Amino acid sequence: MTVTSLRPDISPAEWQQRVELAACYRLLAHFKMTDLIYTHCTVRVPGEPGRFLINPYGHRWEEITASSLVKIDVDGNKVGDSPHRVNPAGFTIHSAVHMSRHDAACVIHTHTRAGMAVASLKEGLLPLNQIALQFYGRLGIHDYEGIALDLDERERIIADLGAKCGLLLRNHGLLTVGRTVAEAFNLMFYLERACEVQVATLSMGREVVLPPPEVCERVGAQYDQMNFDDGDLLLEWAAHLRLLDGIDPSYRH
């Protein structure tokens, strides 16, 4: 797929966000967290309140580039002359978060097998292992209301997310938010891994051992402290970009 680069026509800050979001899509594809052309990642456009970038509807995530991303406002209107469509369900969920959580620059939503399985359990994500304890008491739950096309659902999404780092969307999937694309991706990677471990653990049909609540909360607090260390997060993100550059650096165009 040939895409004309938009880089000469936009600000360096927006271009950087475009590259990072395109990388996020490629990484989610690499780690098999896609749902064909569906689900979404979005990021705020620096210096343009109420505007964010989203994937062009119909593109496989392996195809997404910085230039192909579509700029949109919170009312669902495209900004600029992009020829691509935007999925209306993606607009509803992501605009809800961007309108209310101004600390959440990036929002990621997935429909993975493990994520949907755990989101369909009454108890949701269990504190079964160290990875899951990162999210102990820090994950909201939003009950299923059907395909997210009704704008009045945004208020309930916002209320259920609150100040948390993500949501289990009942019978639907996973959502994470971050101050940066790197942070939102890190959270989604480990939330997905926690769901995979839960599915594997419960499939064994053996008695499960859960840590006591005070230990769960202690580990959650330890993760909170570590998550403020942006130095480690930047090292991790740089490693991800090296991976993508070695596979196919076209996401940067």
Side-chain angles (χ1 to χ4, degrees), residues 9-232:
D9 302 320
I10 61 176
S11 71
E14 179 180 333
W15 183 255
Q16 181 62 31
Q17 289 289 64
R18 283 176 172 270
V19 170
E20 301 238 330
L21 188 62
C24 182
Y25 277 105
R26 297 287 185 101
L27 286 167
L28 290 165
H30 177 76
F31 290 108
K32 302 187 186 305
M33 286 189 265
T34 66
D35 181 17
L36 298 179
I37 62 171
Y38 307 100
T39 66
H40 317 276
C41 316
T42 56
V43 70
R44 292 183 183 277
V45 178
E48 298 187 26
R51 294 178 176 178
F52 55 97
L53 301 169
I54 195 169
N55 55 311
Y57 191 36
H59 284 45
R60 292 183 297 107
W61 290 14
E62 297 92 335
E63 299 175 307
I64 291 174
T65 67
S67 294
S68 70
L69 294 164
V70 182
K71 187 185 298 189
I72 193 172
D73 65 24
V74 292
D75 295 317
N77 302 308
K78 286 195 296 184
V79 178
D81 58 357
S82 172
H84 304 297
R85 292 175 54 198
V86 171
N87 186 313
F91 159 71
T92 301
I93 294 171
H94 288 254
S95 64
V97 180
H98 286 297
M99 289 170 66
S100 64
R101 284 284 301 273
H102 299 296
D103 62 313
C106 182
V107 181
I108 301 175
H109 170 43
T110 62
H111 293 167
T112 61
R113 179 182 300 181
M116 294 178 74
V118 171
S120 300
L121 295 177
K122 182 177 181 180
E123 58 267 37
L125 185 68
L126 294 168
L128 287 167
N129 55 80
Q130 181 167 282
I131 294 174
L133 292 180
Q134 175 179 359
F135 302 97
Y136 185 78
R138 291 153 177 82
L139 201 63
I141 297 176
H142 176 66
D143 287 332
Y144 188 62
E145 300 185 22
I147 297 173
L149 298 174
D150 298 326
L151 295 184
D152 64 356
E153 187 179 354
R154 294 192 296 194
E155 295 180 5
R156 294 180 289 279
I157 292 171
I158 291 166
D160 291 332
L161 176 62
K164 295 180 170 65
C165 67
L167 280 174
L168 283 182
L169 300 165
R170 286 278 195 212
N171 314 105
H172 185 174
L174 306 177
L175 181 143
T176 59
V177 302
R179 296 165 296 171
T180 62
V181 174
E183 184 175 54
F185 177 79
N186 171 278
L187 289 166
M188 181 57 75
F189 180 90
Y190 285 109
L191 180 56
E192 173 68 14
R193 182 61 56 85
C195 290
E196 291 174 341
V197 173
Q198 178 164 321
V199 170
T201 301
L202 298 185
S203 73
M204 292 189 291
R206 308 288 292 182
E207 185 176 358
V208 171
V209 176
L210 297 178
E214 61 272 19
V215 173
C216 294
E217 182 52 49
R218 177 170 179 264
V219 177
Q222 289 175 322
Y223 271 108
D224 288 342
Q225 291 180 325
M226 289 190 294
N227 285 344
F228 283 111
D229 185 353
D230 289 334
D232 287 353

